[in-house]
Amino acid sequence: MELDSFLGLLTPRGQEALAAAETAGDDPVAAVTRLRRTYDADLTSAALTQAALRRRAVEKFGADAGVMYFTPNGLE
């Protein structure tokens, strides 16, 4: 994730997109379609990526993963 994309997630709009991504479901096409109706492509991608990383991080960090930010390499 690029720095600009990460910083976008920290804005109120980014937090809104991230919350939407976390409840978007398991179908990636449906999730992208739903988020793209409201958010631009970069923010949609960043939010969906972060939501997926948070789901994977629950195994390592428990409930705290829901408020943490990850990169794919950092989580590994």
Side-chain angles (χ1 to χ4, degrees), residues 19-75:
E22 289 175 341
T23 61
D26 292 332
D27 181 359
V29 174
V32 168
T33 301
R34 194 169 101 198
L35 267 69
R36 284 289 288 129
R37 289 183 187 134
T38 307
Y39 308 103
D40 65 50
D42 288 337
L43 190 54
T44 295
S45 176
L48 289 170
T49 299
Q50 195 56 229
L53 290 169
R54 284 180 173 183
R55 283 191 297 275
R56 287 180 39 211
V58 168
E59 292 178 28
K60 289 185 179 184
F61 299 103
D64 290 338
V67 296
M68 298 171 81
Y69 292 86
F70 301 96
T71 62
N73 290 338
L75 181 57

